[in-house]
Amino acid sequence: MTSRRLFKTPAFWLGIILSLALSACSDHDPVGKNYQPVFFKERQVPQHEYHFAIHPLHNPERLFKIFNPLIEYLNQHIPEAHFTLEASRDYPAFDEKLKHRSVDFALPNPYQTLLAIQHDYRVFAKMGDDYNFRGLILVRKDSNIKHPADLVGKSISYPAPTALAATMLPQFFLKTHGLDVLHEADNRYVGSQESVIMNVFHGETDAGATWPIPWLTLTEERPELKKHLKVIWQTQTLPNNSVIAKDSIPPELVQKVQLTLRDMYLSRAGRDILKLMQISRFEEANNHTYDKVASFIQQFREQVRDPDKNG
């Protein structure tokens, strides 16, 4: 048989294949130890998405700037869940979300916290620094206002009727210090904390009510505000804003969020985020933390107005 005909036989090619197979198990790799199997990646299990609503303590643009880092922090530390920040155009819109249980987690003010508890949300944490949860009443430095009675016939701006620190606490203060605030003053609800401050700055209202966090945040960005405005009165304090979860959220997830928030201040990244919010830390809390708020609301309802109705 010629060599040319030999190349064409099946036996020849079978020998070549066997030689190649044996060479794979040569002295350099006698049992094929260098073989690396290829594994397909496991299919990713979809994350559960949770909507986290923040009450309108700032306008929406500022709120996203300040609170979106917090949401990203939660996503980094709780990878099995995905949180998205949800803003609201105003206080009534946020209140409706609580009434209809349309958000999973929320950061309401203490009055809204009482509303949320009625709709089967539960408190598991709160913002710290309760000394900062108080009302501030601002006037221009060139005004002649020195006593609450000097506001008779004058205009006062507030963010919304249900803003506890920036509306209800100041109205209670004025009523208990000589001004029949509902009948002797022109009360204007202007939609946001920033609007309150700018209304006083531009002379559109004679006084304005806010609370320390937006006042500190805005004056850091616009130092000229402190040149022309002053805090003339401060109110009593109450427990700070709560963090709540819908009762249908898995308890183990709620606990992870609670512990992640509580321990934020222990890391540099966490402290930087807390600084944006003008607080030093989050604290553990429960529904009973806000019993003191319920007592104040009852006093406010008896002496000033029913907060469940328009101011």
Side-chain angles (χ1 to χ4, degrees), residues 67-292:
F67 281 92
N68 201 51
L70 172 66
I71 301 304
E72 291 176 352
Y73 187 90
L74 291 176
N75 285 328
Q76 291 169 4
H77 288 79
I78 310 175
E80 65 271 28
H82 182 73
F83 302 90
T84 57
L85 176 62
E86 187 166 321
S88 303
R89 67 178 182 273
D90 53 29
Y91 279 74
F94 179 85
D95 295 348
E96 286 299 307
K97 292 176 182 178
L98 300 181
K99 291 176 183 177
H100 292 96
R101 292 168 50 81
S102 64
V103 292
D104 306 297
F105 292 86
L107 193 153
N109 73 26
Y111 173 67
Q112 294 162 329
T113 300
L114 302 178
L115 171 69
I117 291 171
Q118 294 174 13
H119 290 83
D120 297 322
Y121 285 87
R122 71 179 186 90
V123 177
F124 64 90
K126 62 181 284 294
M127 297 172 79
D129 309 331
D130 287 349
Y131 62 86
N132 258 342
F133 196 86
R134 63 186 189 275
L136 305 179
I137 300 175
L138 307 172
V139 297
R140 287 187 59 87
K141 290 181 178 180
D142 56 8
S143 76
N144 294 320
I145 297 168
K146 293 181 173 51
H147 308 284
D150 295 332
L151 287 169
V152 171
K154 300 291 177 56
S155 56
I156 309 171
S157 53
Y158 312 89
T162 57
L164 180 53
T167 298
M168 287 188 264
L169 280 171
Q171 288 182 343
F172 186 80
F173 174 90
L174 293 172
K175 180 62 185 291
T176 56
H177 285 76
L179 177 71
D180 187 351
V181 66
L182 292 190
H183 301 103
E184 295 181 334
D186 175 13
N187 299 295
R188 303 180 187 177
Y189 300 103
V190 297
S192 72
Q193 308 285 346
E194 291 81 12
S195 293
V196 166
I197 296 168
M198 298 312 296
N199 265 264
V200 184
F201 178 70
H202 292 299
E204 295 174 9
T205 57
D206 299 292
T210 185
W211 67 302
I213 288 180
W215 171 243
L216 291 171
T217 301
L218 195 58
T219 54
E220 283 179 0
E221 296 178 5
R222 301 192 57 172
E224 71 273 16
L225 294 174
K226 281 192 174 182
K227 295 179 181 179
H228 298 282
L229 303 180
K230 66 179 179 181
V231 176
I232 191 169
W233 301 299
Q234 301 187 39
T235 75
Q236 70 185 83
T237 63
L238 286 172
N240 210 337
N241 300 315
S242 73
V243 187
I244 60 174
K246 198 158 54 176
D247 61 355
S248 59
I249 303 300
E252 59 273 17
L253 175 61
V254 175
Q255 184 179 39
K256 286 183 179 180
V257 175
Q258 180 190 58
L259 297 179
T260 301
L261 292 176
R262 185 197 67 185
D263 295 341
M264 281 183 70
Y265 78 100
L266 297 175
S267 70
R268 174 64 181 272
R271 289 192 296 272
D272 288 343
I273 295 169
L274 292 167
K275 186 177 180 180
L276 283 175
M277 295 182 283
Q278 299 282 357
I279 60 171
S280 64
R281 63 187 298 169
F282 281 96
E283 303 168 345
E284 294 183 20
N286 57 49
N287 291 4
H288 292 298
T289 304
Y290 292 87
D291 289 346
K292 184 178 179 181

